[in-house]
Amino acid sequence: MTQTLPVTAAHPGAIELQRNPHGRLVLTLAGGQQHADVTPVRAFPLGAPLQGLSLVGSDGHEVAWIADLDQLAPAVRALIEQELAAREFVPTITRLHGVSSFSTPSTWTVDTDRGPTQLILKGEEDIRRLAERTHLLINASGGLQFRIPDVTALDRTSRKLLERFL
């Protein structure tokens, strides 16, 4: 059984991370033990994205725990953030252009940080408020999630359309 190494502020340099020739992450622990094909997994991806990150081996078991991403060396943190960005696809809605109806299901035409798109909202219960009352997570009918990090930052028209569903 492999023991999980907690990477804490006491020994932030306890890990080394690099990519192998196939583009997979290879973790080297302080004792020289290597784990090929590790995957970073956030413990709290929405509530505390920088705290609590597990490095999981190819067998599905945790090989290292990182309490806080800020404790890591910049090169290690950059590799982890690149890998997470490739795995986590949650577009941010920047503007609502229109909705097909104010009852559900309805089709929303929106702009996101990934470009314009349409999503289908099945019900009002698919809009969740997160820890900050202005942060929303929207589950579209196809299973894709969209986020609005700050409702108050949206333009007036977008806020007015959104208020009909909240």
Side-chain angles (χ1 to χ4, degrees):
M1 177 177 216
T2 306
Q3 185 176 6
T4 299
L5 172 73
V7 178
T8 64
H11 54 287
I15 67 169
E16 182 182 316
L17 201 60
Q18 56 194 354
R19 291 199 185 275
N20 67 14
H22 302 289
R24 303 281 168 81
L25 293 179
V26 178
L27 170 69
T28 305
L29 300 176
Q33 184 180 17
Q34 285 195 336
H35 298 273
D37 198 16
V38 296
T39 303
V41 179
R42 293 186 204 266
F44 309 104
L46 299 171
L50 298 179
Q51 281 77 43
L53 184 112
S54 179
L55 293 177
V56 179
S58 58
D59 61 355
H61 292 93
E62 181 179 272
V63 293
W65 172 259
I66 299 166
D68 191 337
L69 280 177
D70 290 334
Q71 298 172 353
L72 298 175
V76 172
R77 181 177 174 159
L79 279 172
I80 288 174
E81 287 177 340
Q82 287 172 4
E83 194 71 17
L84 288 169
R87 292 185 68 227
E88 299 172 346
F89 181 74
V90 181
T92 299
I93 294 176
T94 57
R95 184 172 189 189
L96 279 77
H97 289 285
V99 296
S100 62
S101 75
F102 292 112
S103 61
T104 54
S106 65
T107 302
W108 292 21
T109 304
V110 300
D111 283 342
T112 72
D113 60 340
R114 309 292 174 110
T117 191
Q118 289 188 334
L119 65 100
I120 297 174
L121 183 72
K122 294 182 289 185
E124 284 94 9
E125 65 274 4
D126 290 328
I127 301 174
R128 292 188 344 198
R129 289 187 188 271
L130 299 178
E132 300 93 32
R133 298 292 296 163
T134 61
H135 190 163
L136 302 178
L137 186 66
I138 300 169
N139 293 317
S141 66
L144 186 59
Q145 293 183 331
F146 293 84
R147 64 186 213 110
I148 300 175
D150 185 3
V151 172
T152 61
L154 293 174
D155 64 274
R156 185 172 185 229
T157 304
S158 298
R159 286 193 314 267
K160 191 172 183 178
L161 288 170
L162 189 58
E163 285 173 2
R164 297 275 188 122
F165 293 93
L166 298 176

